[in-house]
Amino acid sequence: MDIYFHIEYRTVFGEELILNIVKNDGSAVPYRMTTADGIMWHCSLNDFRADGNVVNYFYSVENYGSEQRREWQTVAHRLELEPKKTTIFHVYNRWIDMPEDSYLYSSAFTECMKRSGVREFRSSGVRAKLNIQPPSASSSAPRNFVKISGFLSRAKPTNSADGTPTRLCR
């Protein structure tokens, strides 16, 4: 199977982009990427053998052999392959930077500084779609679940299954 990685990342003279493939044991195998203009970077992995059907990877920047920075790995790149159907993959990525407000994701902030109780939700007659993505997850951490009940309608706030008004955490 052949995989071609593409990413747009602006570098300065002396910097190189590295594609790091994460193996099942957690170690990373580095692959040097190439560029013609210092902006569009490419890497081809020919006859690549993945550990299973999933490839986890991240990008880093090196300057003369020393790592200068790497992507925020909380939200990692993940490629799920079906090699029986095709043997050539082209992957176009973007650099995942650490968000400026990443401190808001810490338990010190969410559980101590900005703790708020459950508040009743007042419907304004507008539909809402909630996309919930956990800011961080670790295979060694205990699993936490979020339960959201209720339905937003144009007429009035609905009640949950037990008859209490719909409530959302803030």
Side-chain angles (χ1 to χ4, degrees), residues 17-121:
L17 226 58
I18 307 296
L19 169 67
N20 299 282
I21 305 290
V22 180
K23 294 172 39 177
N24 285 341
D25 64 2
S27 63
V29 179
Y31 295 92
R32 297 205 178 283
M33 301 185 79
T34 59
T35 185
D37 58 2
I39 299 172
M40 295 303 300
W41 290 84
H42 313 278
C43 182
S44 60
L45 303 179
N46 299 320
D47 297 324
F48 181 75
R49 302 277 182 241
D51 296 339
N53 289 342
V54 176
V55 178
N56 293 307
Y57 61 97
F58 65 93
Y59 296 98
S60 60
V61 177
E62 283 189 4
N63 192 348
Y64 297 107
S66 173
E67 185 176 283
Q68 299 300 306
R69 66 185 305 229
R70 65 173 43 188
E71 286 186 296
W72 191 43
Q73 294 180 41
T74 301
V75 181
H77 297 283
R78 181 180 177 94
L79 182 60
E80 297 183 12
L81 305 169
E82 201 54 56
K84 293 178 183 173
K85 294 184 180 180
T86 186
T87 58
I88 299 174
F89 297 91
H90 286 270
V91 181
Y92 294 87
N93 287 130
R94 64 177 177 80
W95 183 273
I96 301 175
D97 247 339
M98 179 182 285
E100 291 180 14
D101 62 350
S102 63
Y103 68 91
L104 296 174
Y105 301 156
S106 70
S107 60
F109 187 84
T110 58
E111 294 177 9
C112 300
M113 296 179 65
K114 285 299 266 184
R115 175 174 255 168
S116 63
V118 175
R119 297 177 36 180
E120 187 169 333
F121 178 75

